Amino acid sequence: MTKPENGQIKAQVKESQIEQLIAQAKSQLNLFYLALSFFTRLPVPQSMHYSEILLNKANRYFSLVGLVTGLLLALIYVGFSSFLPVNIAVLLIMGVSLLLTGAFHEDGLADMADGIGGAFTREKRLSIMKDSRIGTYGAAALVMALLLKFTLLVELTQQDSNHLLLALILAASLSRAVAGSLISSMPYVTDDDLSKSKPLAQAQSSTELSILLLIGIAPLIFYASEVVFALLLVLLIFRWLFKQWLMDKIGGFTGDCLGAAQQISELLIYLTLVSFINKDILSGVIT
């Protein structure tokens, strides 16, 4: 075999490897678009390919969807705060957040509160969660969550607006990582035909979990080590307690439970950050 032939073979192999990398990149981008279309109202390319199997694999990008959402909210807040008082700008970005996500996670929180708070048997709790109407427990949980979120976000702006901007990005990504990680360690317990999370919540591989968590914790690089430790500790304790509570109440999780986990995790992140403001530990944030 001559040298030109060897060179031609090597070129073909290299070209094939490049084509494989491009195909893999397009496949992952398609999964991200699927996650984005499921969890937000943001537009995605019409060329996006859908199947239930692919949608289930898209759970690896839950936290990336949160990262995109958080970045958008941070940019919008910068725009609003340039000509509006802080409290009004915060209220407006909360409204924008609801529009971006279609209040998807807030709806899950309300439904879970209604189901678990308003019944004493597993079957009845699951039945109530499927009801699109909101009850007293759901309304109370939703109002309290929104009021607390508004108060905490305004508090984060008092020292430096950079704290709020980074908090929006961190909370959006890390809270979704916490919620999404529940898929890997709990059984799915709802009617497939009525499930809001179908087929996203069916399974999660170790690779998908790793990608989810790595993206979720990425914004922590901007925080001091004390803050990072406190945040992770709080969220790990919450995840363990929430998992045990769900197993006791319904024997697993539903799509509504994932939404509730995201909302509660987000609030816990804001609470933890606010708790460090007076200690001046958030000075570790890059400004």
Side-chain angles (χ1 to χ4, degrees):
M1 187 176 290
T2 63
K3 290 184 178 179
E5 290 176 334
N6 285 331
Q8 186 177 12
I9 291 174
K10 289 181 180 179
Q12 290 175 344
V13 170
K14 187 175 181 180
E15 183 179 352
S16 176
Q17 291 174 338
I18 293 174
E19 289 176 351
Q20 289 178 0
L21 288 174
I22 293 174
Q24 290 174 1
K26 288 182 178 180
S27 174
Q28 295 305 308
L29 188 60
N30 187 74
L31 292 178
F32 168 66
Y33 287 147
L34 283 169
L36 192 68
S37 67
F38 190 87
F39 284 108
T40 74
R41 301 294 176 85
L42 294 172
V44 296
Q46 293 184 351
S47 59
M48 179 188 74
H49 179 63
Y50 168 84
S51 73
E52 290 193 353
I53 294 176
L54 289 176
L55 187 56
N56 187 59
K57 291 181 179 180
N59 67 60
R60 68 187 68 182
Y61 292 124
F62 287 2
S63 49
L64 183 56
V65 170
L67 196 61
V68 171
T69 303
L71 284 167
L72 285 174
L73 292 177
L75 289 172
I76 293 170
Y77 173 80
V78 171
F80 283 149
S81 62
S82 65
F83 62 91
L84 291 171
V86 166
N87 58 338
I88 296 177
V90 167
L91 188 60
L92 287 175
I93 63 166
M94 287 178 61
V96 171
S97 176
L98 294 174
L99 291 174
L100 283 176
T101 63
F104 191 74
H105 306 296
E106 289 80 1
D107 179 64
L109 174 65
D111 285 345
M112 189 197 74
D114 275 333
I116 296 182
F120 296 99
T121 66
R122 174 182 178 275
E123 291 72 22
K124 185 62 176 176
R125 285 167 179 157
L126 292 175
S127 177
I128 292 175
M129 285 187 199
K130 297 168 189 172
D131 194 333
S132 60
R133 295 170 295 181
I134 188 170
T136 302
Y137 288 103
L142 190 56
V143 170
M144 290 300 296
L146 291 174
L147 284 175
L148 180 57
K149 186 181 297 187
F150 173 76
T151 304
L152 293 170
L153 291 177
V154 170
E155 189 66 27
L156 283 168
T157 66
Q158 298 306 306
Q159 191 176 29
D160 191 321
S161 62
N162 285 337
H163 293 319
L164 174 64
L165 299 180
L166 284 173
L168 289 171
I169 297 169
L170 172 66
S173 61
L174 187 53
S175 64
R176 285 166 173 80
V178 173
S181 70
L182 291 170
I183 298 173
S184 66
S185 59
M186 298 177 70
Y188 183 57
V189 288
T190 193
D191 186 336
D192 286 345
D193 293 330
L194 298 176
S195 169
K196 296 174 185 175
S197 59
K198 180 189 178 182
L200 277 155
Q202 300 299 316
Q204 186 176 65
S205 68
S206 58
T207 299
E208 289 164 351
L209 178 62
S210 298
I211 294 172
L212 175 79
L213 294 177
L214 286 173
I215 296 172
I217 65 175
L220 288 173
I221 63 173
F222 296 109
Y223 288 90
S225 58
E226 297 94 331
V227 181
V228 172
F229 177 78
L231 282 167
L232 294 179
L233 180 62
V234 167
L235 292 174
L236 284 171
I237 292 173
F238 160 71
R239 185 185 182 279
W240 184 83
L241 291 174
F242 190 66
K243 175 184 173 182
Q244 301 305 314
W245 184 67
L246 289 178
M247 291 300 295
D248 179 61
K249 297 298 182 181
I250 59 174
F253 75 94
T254 68
D256 289 326
C257 297
L258 297 183
Q262 186 278 322
Q263 286 290 288
I264 298 171
S265 297
E266 184 177 347
L267 291 172
L268 287 174
I269 291 169
Y270 294 143
L271 275 168
T272 305
L273 293 177
V274 167
S275 72
F276 279 105
I277 286 180
N278 293 332
K279 298 179 181 180
D280 200 31
I281 294 181
L282 281 183
S283 59
V285 176
I286 294 177
T287 58

